[in-house]
Amino acid sequence: MKIFVTGATGVLGRAAVPRLLADGAQVLGLARSQQNCRKISEMGAEPVKACLFDPDAMAQALQGADALIHLATHLPRAKDLKRRDAWTENDRVRRDGTRALITAADTAGVATILYPSVVFAYADGGTAWLRAADANLRPIDALVSTLDAEHLINDFAARRPARRGIVLRFGMFYGPQSPESRQLYELARRGFWMPMAPDRSYKSMIWIEDAASALCAALASAPSGVYDVVEDRPCTQAEAAAALAQAVGRQRLFPLPHVLLRLLISADLREVAARSQRISNEAFRAATDWRPAVPDQRTGWARIAEALAQDTPPTPNLSRPHAGHNNT
């Protein structure tokens, strides 16, 4: 299988590309710079220099590809999260970039497009389990573009039944290779943590390596559709704080004042962060052979503590390909 990946050098791309290669795929990665070309080559993939927004150039780059995984984003830096204009380029990647890629995929005859979205657009669900099939969407402005991209992917599949358009709505990424996870861990070591929501609010997370394995599983067997990819057992904020405290060897953590969030993120992002989102991965598990290696935050934060104690992220287990994956 020949797979073209945008965003191959991002957090998810760096976890996914080695898994795709281990499953026997030929992987090409879109590169905008010589530095990214080098990073993609070091992973064992083939770098391709082209403009994401140029359908003709991308059609040439996609020739012979069986599948396209569109991981590219342009998220604002932490200090710019409050500024709406800082999200403009990310919106362009999601809308214009996805549209250009679909045009190119049509021209090149690509059979499958996989797009990673997010669960954050779901309305507050309290203690109820939320599912893509029937969840109430309530996106803020910064999240509308990812839903627009989802619609483009769904339309790609609907126009020709032989093609697949797959959307994976991921929970919040975490793992030892995540700078945000490392920051939270170091804060906890000092006895503090930053609550994003009330104690009883659920947050659905996903271990980065589990997100990468979900991409491989989706390519192997998922029908077209929108799926939630999260841990098995989402925690409440109180449970998450307890898991983090246990990981750093403390009885409890002291919450930092909520007012600090106002310095970091805008009012609409704070509203999203405060929502309770207890999300089920049942539909994706039923459609594929995927099972998360890290089922909850108690397991996850313990693994992060172990990895950071050694000061090296754990190496993903690539020894056993997903059942049913086409290794040609």
Side-chain angles (χ1 to χ4, degrees), residues 193 198-203 231 233-246 253 278 296-298 301:
W193 98 299
D199 282 352
R200 295 183 180 181
S201 292
Y202 284 88
K203 290 295 166 194
E231 60 200 345
R233 297 186 293 273
C235 290
T236 64
Q237 288 283 272
E239 291 167 342
L244 186 49
Q246 183 176 22
L253 301 177
R278 188 186 191 189
D296 54 45
Q297 287 190 60
R298 187 172 297 277
W301 285 113

Side-chain angles (χ1 to χ4, degrees), residues 4-17 28-31 36 40 43 52 69-73 93:
F4 193 97
V5 181
T6 72
T9 59
V11 170
L12 183 53
R14 292 195 303 271
V17 167
L28 289 74
L30 181 65
N36 281 352
I40 291 168
M43 287 190 282
L52 174 67
I69 304 179
H70 182 24
L71 304 182
T73 61
V93 169

Side-chain angles (χ1 to χ4, degrees), residues 21 29 48 54 66 72 75 79 129 173 181 202-203 222 232-233 242 257 261 301:
L21 292 167
V48 178
D54 184 340
D66 300 292
L75 297 174
K79 70 181 185 65
W129 285 97
F173 292 155
S181 296
Y202 284 88
K203 290 295 166 194
D232 286 339
R233 297 186 293 273
L261 277 180
W301 285 113

